[in-house]
Amino acid sequence: MIIILPIKPILPINPINPINPILSNMKSLEQLTRPNIWNLAPYSSARNEYAGREARVFLDANENPYNQPFNRYPDPLQLELKKRLSAVKGVPEDCIFLGNGSDEAIDLPYRCFTRPGIDNVVAMEPTYGMYKVCADINDVEYRPVLLDEHYQITADRLLAACDDNTKIIWLCSPNNPTGNSIQREEIIKVINNFEGLVIVDEAYSDFAAERPLRLDIQTYPNLIVLNTFSKAWGCAAIRLGMAFAQSAIIDLYNKVKYPYNVNQLTQQQALEALKDPYEVDKWVKMLMQERSRMMQNVALLPITEKVYPTDANFFLVKVTDAQKIYNYLVDRGIIVRNRNRVQLCQNCLRITVGNKSENNELLAALRQY
């Protein structure tokens, strides 16, 4: 569910030598950042240069004066949107990065912190595929560590895969495609014992009962938490992703990102969605009720071997023959996700929880298989 909390003060951080009694072994942010990025002079957009002053006549950005309001460049730092989002997410405005979907927030750490052909990242496996895709694009070694039979991972196993050139550990909780939350004590152990950056993707956290880790960024300077408007907020089409971290990290993101990375239409629609976060609460409650009903009914099907526990808006189910059942559903115009070729997910289908009508159509088809 959406949690609305008062904003907590964030601990100050020195970007040259961050000091935190919990993280005495953490490298400084300058040590973690690629030298060319640390020394980068960011592009100064026309809208940045007069920030904080009133303006009526805009003759600075070579815009067309006609076709309002689409003729003007959007706010490059999305300040109004961050102010509204800060109140909903319980995170200070200067600790929020907004990007073109979560994909941008996943790619930026590679560009900011990893040296191509030299550094590496560690991630649990199976998990969301974009972490590896972005590693491959940026020529960074990707080290997967297999989950156990309960789809859990220990901090010791993740840390054992690291070396002096490991810059990032990726964690997804609730995880995709398995649906389960990773044990919180293991996540905290990773954060406390890793000298690099720990990125926790909480795309599905609105469907889980655990307290979001984004509320703990003031405690952990090496923690970055991702979230999205695509899931609980029902705004996948507007492509808006979020990253929460201490302001020194967000400053680096803003230095490297493209000047106008979030368009005006996306900002406007997000502001509209944020007017009524309680509507999102209703959607989440309805989806969680449908999730329980669907899992119970799918578990009764002859084709079902196991339904895995989940904290997301989807669940993973092991079936007798995933490929044949997937093809059967496609022929009937019903699309689920075939995870048969993913490690530890053999003969598994990932089923997103839809509305009651969609869910009933899926159940009816599976009963007739």
Side-chain angles (χ1 to χ4, degrees):
M1 296 180 63
I2 309 302
I3 299 175
I4 302 176
L5 295 173
I7 295 173
K8 298 180 180 180
I10 195 162
L11 297 178
I13 178 171
N14 181 341
I16 304 299
N17 185 25
I19 299 173
N20 188 301
I22 298 176
L23 291 163
S24 57
N25 64 334
M26 176 190 168
K27 290 181 178 178
S28 71
L29 193 57
E30 183 177 7
Q31 288 175 301
L32 292 171
T33 305
R34 287 168 52 179
N36 65 305
I37 299 300
W38 189 262
N39 298 316
L40 177 69
Y43 175 78
S44 179
S45 71
R47 293 297 179 261
N48 285 124
E49 293 174 355
Y50 74 90
R53 286 171 286 181
E54 293 292 329
R56 293 180 296 102
V57 179
F58 298 95
L59 303 175
D60 57 334
N62 301 334
E63 299 157 323
N64 190 321
Y66 307 110
N67 196 37
Q68 294 183 9
F70 306 111
N71 60 324
R72 300 297 180 190
Y73 287 108
D75 176 2
L77 293 176
Q78 312 93 32
L79 296 179
E80 182 183 359
L81 179 52
K82 286 178 181 176
K83 183 176 181 180
R84 189 83 60 82
L85 193 60
S86 173
V88 172
K89 293 293 186 179
V91 177
E93 297 166 43
D94 63 349
C95 297
I96 301 173
F97 170 82
L98 297 177
N100 183 359
S102 291
D103 296 342
E104 184 176 9
I106 291 169
D107 183 57
L108 272 174
Y110 287 101
R111 293 198 280 142
C112 289
F113 304 114
T114 60
R115 297 166 296 176
I118 299 174
D119 291 327
N120 65 76
V121 301
V122 168
M124 57 195 208
E125 178 74 18
T127 193
Y128 183 44
M130 279 303 297
Y131 313 142
K132 185 179 188 307
V133 169
C134 287
D136 292 343
I137 291 171
N138 287 280
D139 191 22
V140 172
E141 181 189 357
Y142 184 88
R143 298 181 175 183
V145 180
L146 275 180
L147 300 174
D148 63 22
E149 66 272 20
H150 304 294
Y151 292 146
Q152 289 293 340
I153 192 76
T154 65
D156 291 342
R157 290 180 61 212
L158 286 167
L159 294 168
C162 301
D163 61 21
D164 290 341
N165 289 328
T166 306
K167 290 291 187 68
I168 297 167
I169 293 178
W170 288 98
L171 295 168
C172 185
S173 184
N175 188 31
N176 178 10
T178 62
N180 62 303
S181 294
I182 303 303
Q183 293 174 348
R184 181 59 57 93
E185 59 269 24
E186 296 299 322
I187 295 177
I188 298 303
K189 187 176 179 181
V190 171
I191 296 170
N192 283 339
N193 290 278
F194 182 52
E195 60 183 14
L197 296 165
V198 179
I199 304 180
V200 181
D201 190 342
E202 292 189 334
Y204 301 95
S205 61
D206 293 309
F207 303 98
E210 285 193 333
R211 181 177 185 271
L213 271 168
R214 69 170 184 271
L215 301 176
D216 294 330
I217 57 172
Q218 69 271 27
T219 304
Y220 306 109
N222 63 335
L223 173 63
I224 301 170
V225 178
L226 306 185
N227 202 217
T228 178
F229 269 74
S230 296
K231 310 304 177 184
W233 291 86
C235 289
I238 72 173
R239 308 307 302 129
L240 186 61
M242 297 164 269
F244 306 104
Q246 292 208 352
S247 58
I249 293 174
I250 300 301
D251 288 345
L252 278 172
Y253 278 25
N254 288 331
K255 179 191 282 193
V256 175
K257 78 173 184 70
Y258 294 119
Y260 304 107
N261 61 322
V262 180
N263 69 71
Q264 187 61 35
L265 297 177
T266 291
Q267 293 187 45
Q268 288 174 352
Q269 186 56 44
L271 284 167
E272 188 65 27
L274 286 165
K275 287 180 180 178
D276 189 8
Y278 298 104
E279 182 70 13
V280 180
D281 277 343
K282 295 177 186 176
W283 297 341
V284 169
K285 288 176 183 176
M286 289 189 292
L287 286 171
M288 291 175 72
Q289 289 171 355
E290 278 295 290
R291 181 180 74 187
S292 297
R293 182 179 75 92
M294 286 293 292
M295 293 174 72
Q296 291 169 6
N297 280 274
V298 169
L300 299 174
L301 296 170
I303 61 170
T304 300
E305 295 188 358
K306 183 173 183 177
V307 177
Y308 292 92
T310 183
D311 294 308
N313 67 330
F314 63 86
F315 60 95
L316 194 68
V317 54
K318 186 172 185 179
V319 293
T320 51
D321 191 326
Q323 189 62 55
K324 283 183 66 176
I325 296 167
Y326 174 80
N327 292 338
Y328 164 81
L329 292 172
V330 170
D331 289 342
R332 282 150 185 78
I334 301 170
I335 311 301
V336 297
R337 195 81 154 105
N338 186 359
R339 301 284 74 188
N340 184 47
R341 297 182 180 179
V342 175
Q343 286 199 78
L344 303 183
C345 296
Q346 289 77 18
N347 270 330
C348 286
L349 300 175
R350 193 192 71 191
I351 299 175
T352 303
V353 180
N355 61 39
K356 195 163 189 175
S357 174
E358 293 169 326
N359 297 334
N360 286 342
E361 189 169 350
L362 171 64
L363 287 172
L366 291 175
R367 286 166 180 154
Q368 295 168 14
Y369 176 76

